[in-house]
Amino acid sequence: MLTPAGNTLGQHIMVLRLRRGMSRETLAALVGRSSEWLRQVELHQRPVDRLSVLLRLAESLRVQDVAAFLGLAYTDGKGGWDGVLPSAPPSVTRSTEASQEIREMLLGFWGDADRRREPGAPRGIHEDYWNVWRFSARRYSFALSVLPGMLHDARGLKARGHVGDAETFIDVHRFAAMVLTRLGQQQLALIAIERGLGALSADSLLATWVAVRISYGAALLNNGHTDMASRVFRAAGEVLKHHVPGEDALTARILRAEAVSAAAVAEAARADAVEAERLLMSAESILSEAPQETTCGALEIALNRIRSYTRLGRYRQAIQLAERTDTGGQESRDWQAQLFLQIAEAYERSGDPVAAVYSLLQVEEASTEEIRFNPAGGRLAQALLRQDNALVRRKLLSLLERNDLL
């Protein structure tokens, strides 16, 4: 019998063995069998028909949840065993459940009960919420716990028409789009930010309009719409080219530089190195004329330059820039995690798996939940597991086990 993913018990044993860097001969010896016996088990040519052997396999493979491992197999009444994959890790399960609630809030039927419900005091996005996301080690857990309720309360805000309701509605959906992007839910992220765009009006604050447009471009870029993303980023930057009185000058300049550098990432994704470099230089020039210290904006531009180099295949340049970037202790946990993820990707692609694993460990240090919830880190770890390097495997396996991903 095949698992839902097409794996047999033997195939699952083989995956666990390879993840731990064990040869077939070593594992077979640990359970008191021959390598030929194990080969046949892994190829689903013979059953594992003794519980004692399964227990020894679990112990030798360092399976932490033995009950889940034993749940892999059951007897078919004829002495044979079939396999099913273990259940999803708790963190992934919680993420899936919360994402489903968010999906229902974004796509679900807004029935009569919803229309009759008085929104009351909306749970909007306060500055504290953004700060939790930027600086908390458990920001994913926090965001997933508050977003469903926030989206639910945002449903009636536009229709109610109170002062500030539209602004709250927009901010809620921008926050949702950012979180969903990090969770790998790119289509939902695009839907969320498009809902926010729909609430923008002609009298919206310019900074809000541009921030939402930048988020929209990011959602498009992550969904593979590079041409459209580039146009959106450029348009957002162009709006701020001539400062509008009443807007904060420094905020406008930082947003413009961010939009232009984000357009450079989109151009790098299109393999246009010349235009990407031109836009990056333009973003740096915009920020250099700022009236005061703009560490936050400079760090975001540096990260976008590293992203651009990585997308262009200039991995050594990306790594060298990261090494030269002086954060000055001002960076958020979110920024650090994204930086080290980019560095890890550059190292992996440049053929340095040990440095890539070290960078992933720095991702975990910056944000304890990043590897667990952000599928980009998980995909990179799986790619590194295929490296023929015992040190890499050992470090990665410890990392994955700590994050409930084994």
Side-chain angles (χ1 to χ4, degrees):
M1 174 180 174
L2 295 178
T3 71
N7 285 31
T8 65
L9 170 61
Q11 288 171 330
H12 188 72
I13 290 171
M14 180 171 63
V15 168
L16 291 175
R17 174 177 65 77
L18 291 174
R19 284 179 178 175
R20 282 153 180 76
M22 299 174 66
S23 67
R24 189 172 283 157
E25 290 76 13
T26 298
L27 179 58
L30 288 172
V31 299
R33 291 292 189 272
S34 68
S35 60
E36 177 59 18
W37 173 88
L38 183 56
R39 185 189 70 82
Q40 292 178 12
V41 168
E42 290 181 347
L43 294 177
H44 199 49
Q45 294 175 354
R46 70 181 302 162
V48 182
D49 53 6
R50 290 192 180 184
L51 179 60
S52 60
V53 176
L54 276 172
L55 288 171
R56 286 201 297 273
L57 280 167
E59 181 181 6
S60 301
L61 291 167
R62 302 197 304 277
V63 175
Q64 292 183 332
D65 189 349
V66 177
F69 181 80
L70 294 179
L72 288 169
Y74 64 89
T75 181
D76 61 6
K78 300 177 182 179
W81 296 80
D82 289 322
V84 295
L85 286 175
S87 58
S91 60
V92 176
T93 301
R94 288 193 297 271
S95 172
T96 302
E97 291 172 353
S99 295
Q100 182 59 34
E101 289 185 71
I102 294 169
R103 180 187 297 273
E104 290 173 0
M105 291 301 105
L106 290 172
L107 301 177
F109 173 62
W110 294 16
D112 291 338
D114 286 319
R115 286 197 293 270
R116 289 196 302 267
R117 182 181 181 277
E118 179 64 30
R123 284 181 286 181
I125 292 288
H126 306 292
E127 186 62 29
D128 287 346
Y129 282 19
W130 289 105
N131 285 334
V132 169
W133 177 262
R134 294 184 185 111
F135 296 103
S136 172
R138 295 181 56 79
R139 66 184 188 279
Y140 284 94
S141 296
F142 167 78
L144 289 169
S145 69
V146 300
L147 259 180
M150 289 164 57
L151 286 167
H152 185 279
D153 287 348
R155 284 182 169 187
L157 293 180
K158 284 171 56 180
R160 191 172 66 170
H162 289 189
V163 175
D165 280 354
E167 201 74 19
T168 298
F169 182 92
I170 292 167
D171 222 14
V172 166
H173 286 81
R174 188 162 70 92
F175 186 77
M178 178 191 62
V179 174
L180 289 165
T181 295
R182 296 295 172 75
L183 289 169
Q185 303 280 343
Q186 306 301 345
Q187 292 296 325
L188 279 182
L190 192 54
I191 291 169
I193 199 62
E194 284 178 338
R195 284 194 180 278
L197 283 168
L200 285 171
S201 61
D203 59 350
S204 296
L205 290 175
L206 183 60
T208 299
W209 189 94
V210 172
V212 174
R213 289 285 173 172
I214 292 174
S215 296
Y216 181 47
L220 289 168
L221 184 59
N222 281 294
N223 275 277
H225 304 302
T226 53
D227 290 348
M228 189 181 297
S230 180
R231 291 197 296 272
V232 169
F233 288 136
R234 288 169 184 269
E238 193 66 23
V239 165
L240 290 171
K241 191 170 184 178
H242 304 290
H243 178 60
V244 177
E247 292 284 345
D248 180 79
L250 179 59
T251 299
R253 192 173 292 275
I254 291 173
L255 282 172
R256 184 183 169 206
E258 182 180 339
V260 173
S261 67
V265 179
E267 291 302 321
R270 298 174 66 239
D272 191 338
V274 173
E275 182 63 7
E277 184 63 35
R278 186 191 71 78
L279 289 167
L280 287 167
M281 292 178 65
S282 176
E284 290 162 355
S285 175
I286 291 167
L287 209 59
S288 70
E289 300 169 4
Q292 65 186 71
E293 181 67 23
T294 54
T295 303
C296 179
L299 290 177
E300 189 60 34
I301 291 173
L303 182 54
N304 280 338
R305 183 176 280 278
I306 293 168
R307 286 171 174 149
S308 298
Y309 286 163
T310 303
R311 288 175 182 253
L312 290 167
R314 298 177 178 177
Y315 308 125
R316 300 313 305 177
Q317 284 182 275
I319 293 165
Q320 289 167 4
L321 175 59
E323 291 172 346
R324 294 196 308 269
T325 300
D326 181 13
T327 60
Q330 308 257 346
E331 73 281 5
S332 69
R333 287 180 180 270
D334 178 46
W335 188 89
Q336 290 179 63
Q338 301 316 304
L339 172 67
F340 288 123
L341 267 177
Q342 285 297 311
I343 297 172
E345 181 181 351
Y347 273 125
E348 189 273 332
R349 294 193 179 187
S350 65
D352 192 341
V354 175
V357 171
Y358 176 72
S359 296
L360 281 181
L361 292 173
Q362 290 179 296
V363 171
E364 185 185 36
E365 182 179 346
S367 174
T368 55
E369 292 188 337
E370 194 70 29
I371 302 296
R372 184 174 301 183
F373 286 100
N374 188 337
R379 286 194 297 268
L380 184 55
Q382 293 299 324
L384 289 167
L385 272 174
R386 294 193 288 270
Q387 297 285 335
D388 187 19
N389 187 310
L391 175 62
V392 166
R393 287 201 188 101
R394 184 164 64 250
K395 292 291 186 183
L396 272 178
L397 289 168
S398 297
L399 175 68
L400 294 173
E401 285 172 356
R402 286 195 300 275
N403 288 279
D404 297 331
L405 294 177
L406 279 182

